[in-house]
Amino acid sequence: MTENHQGNVPSRQRKRFPGISSRAYEHPADRSALVALRKLSGFDTAFKALSGLLPERSLRLLFLSDSVRVSDAQFSQLNDMLRDACYILDLEKVPSMYVTQDPKPNAMCIGMDEPIIVVTTGLVELLDEEEMRAVIGHEVGHALSGHAVYRTILLFLTSLALKIAWVPLGTVAITAIVTALREWFRKSELSADRAGLLVGQDVQASMRGLMKIAGGNHLHEMNVDAFLAQADEYEKAGDLRDSVLKILNVLPRSHPFTTVRAAELKKWSESRDHQRIMDGHYPRRSEDKDTSVTDAFRESAGHYAETVRTSKDPLMKLVGDIAGGAGDLAGDLGGRLRNRFSQGGAQSTKEADGKPGSGAADGKTADGGTGDGQSEG
């Protein structure tokens, strides 16, 4: 491999996606939020103005001084994977990457001006080459989507919330923002998983990586189909109480549950959207400026409607049933109103011909009752 990633080719033949926009792989909820944020005039400028408050420079110095920077001289295999990922997703500037001592498997992409990628020794020791390639592709996907900026803000606000916990109103306000950012970030993780698959182009390696994060380096004791069956059982298990507990369990997390991520990625890997990207049909970055906020929100709303319709979760099924019942009720009322107006029109025609209608001038109906203008429905 050459020094410049543009001259790199992956260690096995993989498809490359020149000029690919992050919109190609972004989860609908993630995409609509990002499109709206990017369309706000001065949004990025305002947040970058906070860089003096954000601990970005401190973080960079910390990793530079107390972690190992990936390069041709250090962790060269990881360096090759990083350049491959940037080559495949056509990210022009390769982010700096560090390996930090931490037994817990983890990786992140942070930074306001320039993203940096950090992986822990626990993750490096846990995954094989193809699994690690998917993870690095995941982090490069975060960088291409611009997630690093918002992740840095999330880290800063989380830290700030702890520091001002003694100020009741202050911590309530920040907690609300942190909760909203976490909900967005969980969706962004699903987007980045898709980017990891586009880089690795091996769905089994992506599945293995998620299984190892959940259960450790014991693949001989694990099974992909059984692991995915857990996600299905999790979604449909229990009653409304369990649905509420699921929500409470996920609220403090920055990542979706591992089985859920695996199921989402497997579903996307088999979708027409994924196949179109692999065939070379995908949105380009050059078209990003023409992206419609309305279309993005409409797609997000459609995704949520489909999720509610197909979900096996008891609460989601209840929401779907209520929505369906409301739709049936609206349709029934609409039918009744149309019938009433139709009968009213026929009645007016008869009266215009001088024939008695159901609402005669003396206020009596044909059977002598008071005419209230109501049809029998």
Side-chain angles (χ1 to χ4, degrees), residues 41-105:
S41 178
F43 174 80
D44 286 334
T45 302
F47 269 112
K48 287 182 179 181
L50 295 173
S51 60
L53 298 175
L54 295 171
E56 180 181 9
R57 295 179 67 87
S58 175
L59 284 173
R60 289 181 181 278
L61 289 171
L62 178 62
F63 289 122
L64 185 63
S65 64
D66 206 31
S67 300
V68 177
R69 183 164 59 191
V70 172
S71 65
D72 286 332
Q74 301 184 118
F75 288 101
S76 60
Q77 189 176 25
L78 291 181
N79 195 44
D80 287 343
M81 293 182 201
L82 174 63
R83 291 187 296 187
D84 283 351
C86 294
Y87 175 76
I88 290 170
L89 293 182
D90 199 16
L91 187 65
E92 293 182 1
K93 188 170 183 179
V94 181
S96 298
M97 185 162 75
Y98 294 88
V99 176
T100 189
Q101 172 62 34
D102 187 341
K104 184 176 180 179

Side-chain angles (χ1 to χ4, degrees), residues 297-317:
F297 277 115
R298 185 182 298 117
E299 183 175 355
S300 180
H303 166 79
Y304 277 119
E306 179 66 12
T307 298
V308 171
R309 188 183 68 79
T310 59
S311 177
K312 301 171 186 176
D313 180 83
L315 181 58
M316 289 297 100
K317 289 176 69 176

Side-chain angles (χ1 to χ4, degrees), residues 33-51 54 111-113 145-150 153:
L34 285 178
V35 169
L37 288 173
R38 290 165 181 163
K39 287 288 184 178
L40 289 176
S41 178
F43 174 80
D44 286 334
T45 302
F47 269 112
K48 287 182 179 181
L50 295 173
S51 60
L54 295 171
M112 292 288 288
D113 296 313
S145 290
H147 292 162
V149 173
Y150 314 118
I153 294 168

Side-chain angles (χ1 to χ4, degrees), residues 27 105 129 216 323 328:
H27 189 279
E129 178 180 343
D328 293 341

